[in-house]
């Protein structure tokens, strides 16, 4: 079976830079996946795509060296299983607030006897290999999102869930849950919560991931002990590059004199 290179990097102690897709385009997915990201996640929760488009995006990613991953819309087991059948090698599940939810999530990602994933691998044998069924439980990553006060309260129980590979911090929803505004993750109670999460996750030997607003913040998170960082999403990067190109193009240009006949 095709190895999960992201899991292999984690086990080898190497940093993981994860791309994040919100634009519904397999072409954009392919372009981004070929830029050197170790993993690329299709965001089916807040991204602008449905299942069919997400599948074509996973196909595009799986043609590269990047690990194809998804963020599922919610803890809905049939949807999680279908996204795995579509080719996801890892699932990030939002709003995991307690151990029972974590156990349900893990079970949806694992074939029996470790879980209750329904058999119907669809694309699995096509991109992963004929032994997909026998080895998928080992290769597929299950990452629970920690993004609420409830999840913080139940953090140790969530991390103790058998079969859970790690967590992924949603800093903006975490800030909201703690009574702060989005973007408030670099100081105060939100920063303290994030520090607690990464310390507890590393103590369990699990993978710690987090979404970051910039590459500078992503570097900081790696220094703090996170294994996987996402330095922004595709829409944000596209906007920043476009704005920079416009500013560079107009740098040093003076406005042309108005024509005497211009206007009405």
């Amino acid at each position: 079976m095709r190895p999960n290179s992201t899991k292999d990097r984690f086990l080898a102690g190497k940093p993981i830079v994860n791309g994040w897709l919100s634009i519904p385009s397999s072409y954009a997915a392919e372009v981004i996946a070929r830029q050197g990201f170790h993993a690329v996640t299709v965001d089916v929760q807040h991204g602008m795509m449905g299942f069919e488009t997400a599948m074509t995006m996973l196909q595009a990613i799986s043609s590269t060296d990047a690990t194809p991953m998804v963020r599922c819309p919610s803890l809905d087991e049939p949807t999680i299983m279908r996204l795995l059948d579509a080719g996801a090698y890892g699932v990030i599940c939002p709003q995991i607030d307690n151990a029972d939810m974590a156990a349900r999530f893990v079970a949806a990602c694992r074939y029996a006897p470790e879980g209750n994933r329904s058999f119907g691998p669809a694309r699995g044998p096509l991109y992963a290999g004929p032994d997909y069924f026998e080895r998928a439980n080992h290769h597929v990553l299950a990452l629970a999102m920690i993004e609420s006060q409830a999840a913080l309260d139940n953090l140790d129980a969530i991390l103790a869930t058998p079969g859970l590979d790690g967590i992924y911090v949603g800093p903006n929803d975490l800030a909201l849950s703690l009574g702060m505004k989005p973007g408030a993750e670099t100081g105060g109670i939100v920063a303290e919560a994030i520090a607690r999460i990464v310390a507890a996750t590393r103590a369990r030997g699990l993978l710690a991931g987090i979404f970051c607003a910039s590459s500078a913040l992503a570097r900081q998170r790696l220094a703090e002990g996170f294994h996987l960082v996402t330095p922004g999403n595709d829409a944000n990067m596209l906007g920043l590059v476009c704005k920079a190109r416009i500013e560079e193009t107009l740098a040093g240009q003076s406005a042309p004199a108005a024509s005497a006949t211009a206007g009405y």
Side-chain angles (χ1 to χ4, degrees):
M1 179 173 171
R2 172 180 173 172
N4 187 325
S5 57
T6 293
K7 184 173 183 179
D8 289 345
R9 287 187 69 86
F10 164 64
L11 294 174
K14 298 178 180 179
I16 303 158
V17 184
N18 175 52
W20 198 266
L21 303 176
S22 63
I23 299 172
S25 168
S26 58
Y27 177 41
E30 183 178 23
V31 170
I32 288 174
R34 290 197 178 277
Q35 301 314 305
F37 288 105
H38 305 116
V40 177
T41 299
V42 180
D43 183 6
V44 191
Q45 182 190 21
H46 289 301
M48 299 294 105
M49 72 287 293
F51 173 79
E52 287 78 9
T53 300
M55 184 188 72
T56 66
M57 295 169 73
L58 290 168
Q59 288 175 312
I61 298 165
S62 65
S63 71
T64 74
D65 292 334
T67 303
M69 295 176 54
V70 295
R71 175 163 70 171
C72 59
S74 65
L75 178 55
D76 178 69
E77 289 93 329
T79 298
I80 291 170
M81 295 178 197
R82 196 176 186 207
L83 288 166
L84 288 169
D85 291 345
Y89 245 40
V91 180
I92 298 171
C93 187
Q95 299 175 317
I96 298 298
D97 291 336
N98 55 55
D100 176 68
M101 297 176 76
R104 287 174 52 200
F105 166 51
V106 171
C109 294
R110 308 289 185 234
Y111 291 122
E114 286 126 29
N116 56 25
R117 179 181 172 187
S118 177
F119 181 76
R123 287 198 61 242
L126 297 178
Y127 78 95
D131 57 344
Y132 177 83
F133 171 72
E134 289 80 11
R135 297 178 59 80
N137 283 358
H138 172 75
H139 286 288
V140 169
L141 285 170
L143 304 179
M145 287 197 73
I146 304 297
E147 49 185 347
S148 71
Q149 180 65 64
L152 285 174
D153 294 340
N154 296 305
L155 181 61
D156 290 339
I158 291 171
L159 294 175
T161 303
L164 185 70
D165 292 294
I167 58 88
Y168 188 88
V169 178
N172 291 321
D173 278 330
L174 180 61
L176 287 172
S177 181
L178 297 177
M180 306 298 288
K181 293 182 179 180
E185 71 265 29
T186 57
I189 60 173
V190 183
E192 292 172 3
I194 291 174
R196 178 189 161 200
I197 292 167
V198 68
T201 304
R202 291 184 65 92
R204 287 274 184 178
L206 301 178
L207 186 155
I210 188 169
F211 190 91
C212 307
S214 67
S215 55
L217 186 54
R219 286 196 303 272
Q220 176 186 322
R221 296 305 187 198
L222 288 174
E224 291 170 354
F226 281 92
H227 306 100
L228 181 151
V229 292
T230 305
N233 68 17
D234 52 353
N236 175 260
M237 293 178 187
L238 177 62
L240 289 174
V241 170
C242 288
K243 183 177 181 180
R245 289 291 178 93
I246 294 169
E247 292 175 349
E248 291 168 4
T249 300
L250 296 178
Q253 298 290 318
S254 57
S259 169
T261 60
Y264 294 94

